[in-house]
Amino acid sequence: MDTLGTLQLGFVYAIMALGVFITFRVMNTPDLTVDGSFTLGLAVSAVCAVQGLPVAGLFAGFICGAGAGVVTGLLQSKAGIHPLLAGILTMTGLYSVNLAVMGGSPNVSLLQKNTVFSELRRVFARTDKDILLLAAVTILTLLCLLALGWLFHTGLGLRLRAVGNNPDMARASSINSDRICVLAYALANAFVGLAGATLAQYQGYADINSGAGIVMVGLASVIIGEVVVRKQSIWGGLLAAAVGAVVYRFLIALALYADFFPAYMLRLVSAVIVAITLAIPKIREIAHNARVKKEGRRDAGNP
Amino acid sequence: MLEIRNLKKIFQPGTPHAQTGLAGVSLSLRPGEFLTIVGSNGAGKSTLFNAIAGRFLVDGGDIRLGGEDITYQREHVRARNIGRLFQDPKTGTAPGLTIEENLALVYSKATNRFPLRLALRASDRQYFRAELSRLDMGLEDRLQVKAGLLSGGQRQALTLLIATLVPPRLLLLDEHTAALDPVAAAKVMALTAQICDRNNMTTLMVTHNISSALKTGTRTIMMDQGRIVMDLSGAERENMTSQDLLRRYREMTRRELDNDRILFSGEEE
Ligand SMILES: Nc1ncnc2c1ncn2[C@@H]1O[C@H](COP(=O)(O)OP(=O)(O)OP(=O)(O)O)[C@@H](O)[C@H]1O
Ligand SMILES: [Mg+2]
């Protein structure tokens, strides 16, 4: 098993998981824009790198992701469309946008092109390639995590959390919940876009289908992370999302390595993980009721 | 302070479900006045509050607050000057935020602090602790506890503090003690009187407890079918008992005040 490679990939996806955490946990709605905004990040990043602007590509991925989030945010807050449908609408539209960005072709290769990572390798020529890559993506992820952790403790951050937590209270506290909602979706998808942008340059290509099913990966990461990191604060949640993304990569790598299932089963496995975790409260309730019933019968048996 | 003229609201007009919420309500409050509102279910008390707070736009009439016409102002803009408490203690605080974050959320906004500055400073904490200790519930030692873990009475007291931390021009209390047990309700009611008195706050309070409506504040109105049907203050209010009020209602509307909660509270004395 390629441990370093898995770690590297894990940290790239961790940035995406941080974005998913914002909508899924802070705003309390899973955002389906992610599939589209992730690919959008890949596409713009790859195109920028082809043009010889790899660093700009990362920024562009961030900004374009934010733009996609703004669309979803406006669709639900201003147009009153159901949050899940709003996400699906943006995601669907983005498929065409992403193809347009990639000049109509389903993939863009960065072979022989400069990427941020090839630039880094040139600068730190003496460092081991894999260690260097790992350091780069780890630092990037940590920066994202710290920035978000700080943000969620500012006045604006408290407003974001309050709108997701209790919108009525937020409005009664003179918070413009529509604007905050748009902001939250923009922020979330900005990080998803950045993750896509990083991935494109990391793997050296962008593919129109790279983002399919990414929502599930994000949700699964957040959930798995919460099992590992049990601290229920904002810092705990962010850390959980990042750690969860890495763990998720390892689970997948392990399963493939040990030949538990073929690669094409990944999506199914992700979906099952998410479904089971989301069902846990209900499963607990059923188990609890069964226990109560059993005890009740027993007590009735021996008065 | 508050000037309401001929406020009208019909819900779902032009349908068989049309409901009159407000049928021309006029009301004028001086600064510092504490008005209590009673009336049967569906009388339009909450509708009046929602109209003032901007949940919906009214069909007619106008609302002025502190001289400013707010009839068409958006809800969150009005909220700068209007504090609200509801019956359900869950509505007033963000359960996932800690006590201090709930306070900081409102405080950093009300004091116009730059939104990208940390919302909680050491000095804020000091201030929040002092304010919380006035509630006399031990919350000052539980700043980092999530608001969702507090009891109903504690949450409602916290909400009261949040709503008045920076005193609004107007405070709207909609049966804010109705969901609490009697002890907690009495406690929150006492805090309400204390806080409103200290800040000389202009307040509207809906309650189904007639004796508490007559005891609290300076003026009492009764609503019925979207109208104000009685307006009591001064000596007339001083001498009025719950039984008198119920009788007046009966004579005026030829109906019993159709609310079991009111009958209970009438018997309480
Ligand atoms: N959003 C709404 N849509 C339709 N009808 C409404 C709406 N809000 C209130 N109403 C109707 O307006 C009337 C007044 O309701 P309101 O909630 O103001 O009564 P209330 O005096 O607060 O009663 P309660 O003591 O039960 O709280 C009722 O007939 C109610 O059914
Ligand atoms: Mg009501």
Side-chain angles (χ1 to χ4, degrees):
Chain A
M1 195 168 86
D2 175 12
T3 313
L4 277 180
T6 309
L7 267 177
Q8 290 160 1
L9 213 51
F11 278 108
V12 175
Y13 280 99
I15 301 171
M16 181 273 302
L18 290 175
V20 169
F21 171 80
I22 297 174
T23 38
F24 185 44
R25 285 308 188 211
V26 178
M27 300 311 286
N28 260 323
T29 355
D31 173 22
L32 302 183
T33 316
V34 169
D35 277 18
S37 55
F38 189 75
T39 315
L40 180 62
L42 275 125
V44 292
S45 165
V47 169
C48 285
V50 167
Q51 300 296 319
L53 300 165
V55 178
L58 296 191
F59 283 103
F62 188 83
I63 303 288
C64 294
V70 167
V71 174
T72 306
L74 287 175
L75 283 176
Q76 55 173 283
S77 66
K78 292 292 176 201
I81 296 172
H82 187 283
L84 289 180
L85 190 53
I88 294 176
L89 285 171
T90 314
M91 174 183 80
T92 308
L94 277 176
Y95 189 83
S96 307
V97 174
N98 294 339
L99 271 174
V101 170
M102 303 204 301
S105 104
N107 46 56
V108 173
S109 167
L110 298 181
L111 218 63
Q112 312 297 332
K113 303 282 181 200
N114 279 341
T115 68
V116 281
F117 298 106
S118 69
E119 294 288 319
L120 276 176
R121 274 214 297 279
R122 206 161 44 78
V123 177
F124 299 95
R126 296 228 209 103
T127 320
D128 175 78
K129 173 183 158 244
D130 272 327
I131 300 287
L132 182 67
L133 275 182
L134 182 58
V137 290
T138 309
I139 289 170
L140 184 61
T141 305
L142 272 180
L143 283 179
C144 294
L145 196 154
L146 290 175
L148 280 174
W150 165 79
L151 178 74
F152 281 125
H153 287 90
T154 62
L156 182 67
L158 287 189
R159 282 170 224 171
L160 281 160
R161 290 161 62 193
V163 168
N165 206 224
N166 186 348
D168 284 337
M169 181 259 189
R171 261 191 302 276
S173 313
S174 78
I175 292 168
N176 186 343
S177 55
D178 286 357
R179 196 184 302 166
I180 291 288
C181 169
V182 173
L183 190 71
Y185 277 78
L187 194 66
N189 285 289
F191 282 93
V192 173
L194 176 63
T198 312
L199 182 67
Q201 301 197 26
Y202 171 83
Q203 65 188 13
Y205 65 89
D207 185 289
I208 189 67
N209 291 318
S210 311
I214 276 294
V215 175
M216 270 323 137
V217 178
L219 296 178
S221 302
V222 171
I223 290 168
I224 293 171
E226 284 165 355
V227 177
V228 182
V229 182
R230 287 170 167 272
K231 191 124 176 47
Q232 286 199 342
S233 60
I234 273 290
W235 284 115
L238 289 168
L239 189 66
V243 169
V246 177
V247 172
Y248 180 89
R249 279 296 130 201
F250 270 98
L251 289 179
I252 302 287
L254 202 67
L256 293 181
Y257 178 74
D259 231 355
F260 288 146
F261 50 75
Y264 60 78
M265 294 300 284
L266 283 185
R267 297 268 172 83
L268 181 60
V269 173
S270 311
V272 169
I273 291 177
V274 174
I276 290 178
T277 341
L278 293 184
I280 280 180
K282 194 74 195 170
I283 295 172
R284 284 219 182 100
E285 187 190 316
I286 292 170
H288 176 78
N289 286 348
R291 206 160 48 236
V292 170
K293 252 191 237 163
K294 201 168 129 197
E295 275 164 22
R297 286 221 185 85
R298 200 183 52 215
D299 290 349
N302 350 295
Chain B
M1 178 54 73
L2 178 69
E3 206 69 52
I4 292 174
R5 250 193 2 216
N6 203 16
L7 226 46
K8 290 195 172 116
K9 176 72 190 177
I10 295 175
F11 292 106
Q12 294 160 304
T15 72
H17 303 294
Q19 279 280 351
T20 304
L22 298 173
V25 171
S26 298
L27 183 66
S28 168
L29 254 75
R30 287 192 313 273
E33 206 166 5
F34 191 135
L35 176 85
T36 58
I37 306 178
V38 293
S40 56
N41 294 125
K45 307 179 296 293
S46 300
T47 306
L48 176 63
F49 278 17
N50 287 333
I52 296 173
R55 265 287 151 87
F56 48 71
L57 293 182
V58 288
D59 303 334
D62 52 65
I63 313 167
R64 303 178 78 83
L65 182 62
E68 187 186 1
D69 188 343
I70 60 166
T71 317
Y72 300 110
Q73 223 172 42
R74 290 177 63 193
E75 186 181 3
H76 71 269
V77 180
R78 296 186 206 198
R80 277 183 215 141
N81 298 316
I82 301 177
R84 303 184 77 181
L85 261 75
F86 302 91
Q87 181 172 347
D88 183 356
K90 289 196 190 74
T91 47
T93 46
L97 270 59
T98 61
I99 294 181
E100 58 180 10
E101 284 171 340
N102 268 285
L103 287 160
L105 168 74
V106 174
Y107 191 63
S108 69
K109 172 127 186 122
T111 50
N112 282 322
R113 202 173 285 174
F114 184 62
L116 289 179
R117 299 268 296 271
L118 284 186
L120 249 176
R121 301 183 197 157
S123 58
D124 295 340
R125 227 172 239 143
Q126 211 68 40
Y127 174 57
F128 294 162
R129 202 167 274 143
E131 290 293 315
L132 281 165
S133 67
R134 287 192 210 241
L135 301 181
D136 198 21
M137 290 181 160
L139 296 185
E140 63 275 16
D141 301 320
R142 305 174 65 191
L143 287 178
Q144 265 111 16
V145 170
K146 290 205 171 146
L149 297 176
L150 300 181
S151 73
Q154 289 170 332
R155 264 184 100 165
Q156 207 63 321
L158 178 61
T159 309
L160 189 62
L161 181 61
I162 290 174
T164 56
L165 201 56
V166 178
R169 283 185 184 157
L170 180 68
L171 184 63
L172 303 176
L173 308 169
D174 194 350
E175 300 189 54
H176 69 305
T177 62
L180 308 178
D181 67 80
V183 178
K187 170 95 210 195
V188 171
M189 197 55 93
L191 282 170
T192 307
Q194 183 193 324
I195 289 177
C196 291
D197 197 41
R198 173 152 51 87
N199 299 310
N200 194 27
M201 197 112 65
T202 316
T203 308
L204 265 66
M205 178 175 89
V206 171
T207 174
H208 277 281
N209 187 321
I210 295 205
S211 63
S212 127
L214 289 172
K215 270 191 309 233
T216 319
T218 51
R219 184 175 159 197
T220 300
I221 63 170
M222 177 176 277
M223 289 189 69
D224 190 57
Q225 300 186 330
R227 285 196 178 77
I228 296 177
V229 294
M230 214 188 286
D231 190 338
L232 300 168
S233 58
E236 190 188 10
R237 179 170 179 269
E238 296 275 291
N239 299 325
M240 179 86 58
T241 65
S242 309
Q243 298 305 330
D244 293 341
L245 196 75
L246 289 173
R247 197 166 17 120
R248 280 270 294 271
Y249 179 83
R250 217 161 31 228
E251 285 163 10
M252 201 151 31
T253 63
R254 293 195 187 74
R255 282 184 288 124
E256 291 287 332
L257 205 47
D258 63 342
N259 186 296
D260 42 354
R261 280 182 286 170
I262 284 193
L263 293 182
F264 267 120
S265 56
E267 282 163 7
E268 236 171 47
E269 289 198 304

